[in-house]
């Protein structure tokens, strides 16, 4: 087990961490990619040589040629739309902003069905809160879309389980920029510290946490192999710990004296 500071606040990502919305997400991305030319985004596409891995280079090459995702990307269900846009547009913040806005419009045609990513998510959040921790949500999803999903998940919604919610349209720069973390800290009256954790399933979550000066916990819900994780994380932004499931996360966050029951 890594040596971590026990948190007083835990931020979570939404899609791919607490919730599964893969079907709608990939459908919306597939609707948006054929629009790259009319959106003026085609010139901003990165060259395949800029991919950090062979898989990223292949995704770039496929999108450039076909304006669609590779079949393997959709089948494996491991890469989020934010990671896709990071691969496609690199550091071009303006291009990513346009891409996210177009995605949101496409997502309106598909969103609605949402499921917990693992069984017991609601109970896990409840135990963290019972132990005295504050919990927050940092999601790149547009607020009106996210709040709809939050109210539907698990049949009755999880609205009461978060002390703060920061959505993609609340800030100019979405993750991996640290703006959403800064906003969440500000709304809770907190300063960045190791006692604030951000749990997310993508490199963009980890980068945002590290840039903001808080503890980054990578949730490996996609079950990447260790050799894959070494390749996908930038060398300067590696997570402070990796949790393969939520029981493992609880073991990291809750020392025995803070566990109920």
């Amino acid at each position: 087990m890594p040596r971590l500071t026990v948190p007083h606040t835990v931020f979570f990502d939404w899609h791919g961490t607490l919730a599964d919305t893969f079907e709608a997400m990939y459908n919306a991305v597939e609707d948006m990619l054929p629009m790259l030319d009319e959106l003026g985004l085609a010139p901003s596409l990165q060259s395949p040589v800029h991919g950090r891995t062979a898989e990223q280079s292949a995704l770039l090459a496929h999108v450039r040629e076909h304006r669609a995702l590779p079949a393997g990307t959709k089948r494996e269900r491991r890469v989020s739309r934010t990671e896709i846009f990071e691969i496609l547009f690199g550091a071009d913040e303006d291009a990513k902003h346009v891409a996210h806005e177009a995605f949101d419009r496409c997502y309106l045609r598909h969103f609605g069905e949402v499921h917990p990513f693992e069984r017991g998510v609601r109970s896990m959040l409840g135990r963290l809160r019972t132990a005295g921790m504050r919990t927050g949500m940092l999601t790149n999803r547009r607020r009106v879309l996210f709040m709809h999903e939050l109210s539907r998940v698990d049949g009755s919604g999880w609205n009461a389980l978060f002390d703060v919610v920061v959505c993609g349209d609340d800030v100019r720069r979405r993750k991996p920029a640290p703006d959403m973390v800064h906003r969440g800290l500000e709304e809770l009256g907190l300063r960045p510290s190791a006692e604030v954790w951000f749990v997310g399933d993508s490199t963009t979550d980890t980068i945002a946490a590290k840039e903001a000066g808080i503890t980054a916990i990578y949730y490996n819900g996609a079950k990447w192999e260790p050799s894959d994780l070494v390749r996908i994380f930038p060398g300067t932004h590696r997570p402070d710990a990796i949790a393969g499931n939520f029981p493992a996360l609880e073991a990291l966050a809750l020392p025995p004296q803070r566990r109920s029951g």
Side-chain angles (χ1 to χ4, degrees):
M1 285 286 203
R3 297 179 65 86
L4 298 169
T5 303
V6 175
H8 56 62
T9 302
V10 183
F11 292 129
F12 288 92
D13 173 53
W14 181 239
H15 166 78
T17 302
L18 296 185
D20 178 356
T21 60
F22 273 105
E23 191 71 24
M25 183 204 74
Y26 281 130
N27 285 337
V29 171
E30 287 284 69
D31 284 355
M32 173 263 177
L33 290 178
M35 301 163 56
L36 289 175
D37 295 279
E38 65 181 273
L39 291 168
L41 293 176
S44 300
L45 289 170
Q46 297 284 292
S47 165
V49 301
H50 289 111
R52 286 200 305 272
T53 66
E55 293 82 1
Q56 291 186 6
S57 296
L59 188 150
L60 274 163
H62 193 90
V63 170
R64 288 174 67 91
E65 182 175 355
H66 301 289
R67 300 294 192 263
L69 292 173
T73 299
K74 293 179 286 185
R75 183 175 60 251
E76 293 172 0
R77 296 162 65 95
R78 285 178 159 180
V79 184
S80 71
R81 60 94 178 227
T82 301
E83 290 175 302
I84 290 169
F85 293 164
E86 289 297 312
I87 294 167
L88 294 182
F89 304 113
D92 190 333
E93 294 294 339
D94 289 335
K96 287 184 288 189
H97 180 74
V98 172
H100 281 295
E101 291 292 306
F103 169 89
D104 286 343
R105 293 192 294 272
C106 294
Y107 194 71
L108 281 167
R109 296 196 288 267
H110 301 287
F111 87 114
E113 186 172 349
V114 55
H115 305 282
F117 198 86
E118 282 187 33
R119 293 180 62 183
V121 172
R122 178 195 290 273
S123 298
M124 179 271 297
L125 292 170
R127 286 190 291 272
L128 295 182
R129 294 173 66 81
T130 297
M133 298 180 194
R134 287 191 283 185
T135 53
M137 173 59 58
L138 309 179
T139 173
N140 277 353
R141 194 141 295 169
R142 183 177 288 273
R143 179 170 287 272
V144 66
L145 303 175
F146 169 71
M147 296 307 294
H148 178 81
E149 291 180 339
L150 185 66
S151 68
R152 290 173 61 94
V153 67
D154 248 0
S156 58
W158 297 345
N159 301 66
L161 294 174
F162 299 102
D163 298 289
V164 63
V165 170
V166 182
C167 295
D169 53 335
D170 293 334
V171 295
R172 165 62 183 174
R173 299 186 303 168
R174 289 170 162 90
K175 300 174 288 183
D179 303 32
M180 299 181 75
V181 180
H182 292 156
R183 177 73 171 266
L185 292 170
E186 180 182 354
E187 291 197 16
L188 293 176
L190 300 174
R191 292 179 174 272
S193 76
E195 295 173 291
V196 180
W197 291 11
F198 183 19
V199 181
D201 71 304
S202 74
T203 56
T204 57
D205 299 318
T206 296
I207 293 169
K210 301 300 282 186
E211 286 289 310
I214 66 174
T215 297
I217 309 295
Y218 180 73
Y219 170 67
N220 190 19
K223 308 305 179 190
W224 293 99
E225 295 294 334
S227 58
D228 294 321
L229 293 174
V230 170
R231 292 185 299 119
I232 66 175
F233 280 105
T236 55
H237 294 88
R238 300 202 182 274
D240 297 291
I242 297 172
N245 52 41
F246 288 124
L249 174 66
E250 286 192 73
L252 291 172
L254 290 173
Q257 64 271 24
R258 292 184 69 175
R259 298 177 196 170
S260 61

